[in-house]
Amino acid sequence: ETGVTQTPRHLVMGMTNKKSLKCEQHLGHNAMYWYKQSAKKPLELMFVYSLEERVENNSVPSRFSPECPNSSHLFLHLHTLQPEDSALYLCASSQTLAGAPQYFGPGTRLTVL
Amino acid sequence: GNSVTQMEGPVTLSEEAFLTINCTYTATGYPSLFWYVQYPGEGLQLLLKATKADDKGSNKGFEATYRKETTSFHLEKGSVQVSDSAVYFCALSRTQGGSEKLVFGKGTKLTVNP
């Protein structure tokens, strides 16, 4: 498999559930990102990891918990979400933190009931 | 601050029509500029980029020129196809704290009819 993959592609969860989103990049990149894409709003950068270290957390609520066990994998753990958290969650990677375009996965469409 | 403004959609064209999607930016310093495309059900794909003033990015028949004097990066294509139907995002990159961040516009949905 090539590029950036994300699983699951679709997820429906209740407000009390705990679930995780997975992202894997096969590009040998060192930086990975989580974005939230909501209707009628610009993409929102949530988290940035470089070489498995979190370098940015853009005031994201604690009900979203990222994990980066190695440079190829990135997780987003979800718990006690709200309906307004329903969105498309996109993962991206880049060669380094600076000076590189980002390559995106297909996203996970999350619906919170 | 840094921001990107692109024309509101949706845009509906007939096949072989000329396409322009306007994008203007506000930034400190000299950002790189990008156009990304998102086809239905997929993530964003890098379409083209320009890294300095007067650079022209091009790919798949699309072009955009980095205009510093007008702070613009308009996307153009001479003859669109049905397969170009997608959402197009203009973005700039800014370097902060040693990392490069992308700032996106809200996206413009393009529909091309046969």
Side-chain angles (χ1 to χ4, degrees):
Chain A
E1 224 168 333
T2 59
V4 181
T5 58
Q6 291 186 243
T7 55
R9 293 294 306 275
H10 301 273
L11 178 62
V12 179
M13 59 187 290
M15 293 168 61
T16 58
N17 292 157
K18 290 185 179 181
K19 297 287 184 183
S20 295
L21 310 185
K22 179 182 176 182
C23 174
E24 184 173 1
Q25 58 96 1
H26 310 269
L27 300 168
H29 289 169
N30 291 327
M32 297 187 76
Y33 310 79
W34 279 117
Y35 286 88
K36 177 182 179 182
Q37 185 178 27
S38 305
K40 308 296 185 183
K41 294 176 67 176
L43 267 71
E44 301 171 54
L45 179 63
M46 301 174 71
F47 301 104
V48 181
Y49 276 82
S50 175
L51 297 172
E52 300 124 58
E53 285 193 31
R54 189 189 311 179
V55 297
E56 184 159 335
N57 174 350
N58 278 343
S59 303
V60 179
S62 59
R63 57 185 183 270
F64 295 91
S65 175
E67 178 190 1
C68 188
N70 56 62
S71 60
S72 298
H73 293 87
L74 185 64
F75 294 90
L76 188 62
H77 303 300
L78 315 171
H79 64 98
T80 59
L81 295 191
Q82 305 297 312
E84 59 265 28
D85 296 322
S86 299
L88 182 68
Y89 288 85
L90 292 166
C91 174
S93 70
S94 61
Q95 183 65 53
T96 61
L97 273 181
Q102 294 177 18
Y103 295 86
F104 285 78
T108 295
R109 173 67 63 186
L110 173 66
T111 303
V112 181
L113 301 177
Chain B
N2 300 290
S3 65
V4 174
T5 302
Q6 58 183 107
M7 63 187 289
E8 294 277 338
V11 174
T12 302
L13 296 173
S14 298
E15 210 165 18
E16 299 184 3
F18 184 86
L19 169 72
T20 300
I21 300 178
N22 290 337
C23 171
T24 56
Y25 68 90
T26 302
T28 54
Y30 303 97
S32 294
L33 301 173
F34 305 85
W35 277 100
Y36 280 82
V37 58
Q38 186 175 30
Y39 298 103
E42 299 184 17
L44 277 69
Q45 299 176 27
L46 178 65
L47 180 60
L48 54 84
K49 68 174 184 176
T51 57
K52 61 184 187 296
D54 299 325
D55 266 3
K56 176 185 284 187
S58 61
N59 186 24
K60 299 181 181 179
F62 291 89
E63 293 183 340
T65 301
Y66 190 142
R67 301 286 188 198
K68 186 172 180 295
E69 63 277 10
T70 54
T71 61
S72 65
F73 193 56
H74 304 321
L75 182 68
E76 295 182 338
K77 186 174 185 181
S79 176
V80 294
Q81 305 300 312
V82 173
S83 57
D84 294 326
S85 298
V87 181
Y88 292 81
F89 293 89
C90 185
L92 65 83
S93 69
R94 57 183 176 89
T95 301
Q96 182 178 358
S99 64
E100 183 171 305
K101 312 291 171 55
L102 285 176
V103 177
F104 288 89
K106 292 185 178 181
T108 302
K109 184 177 182 179
L110 170 67
T111 301
V112 180
N113 295 318

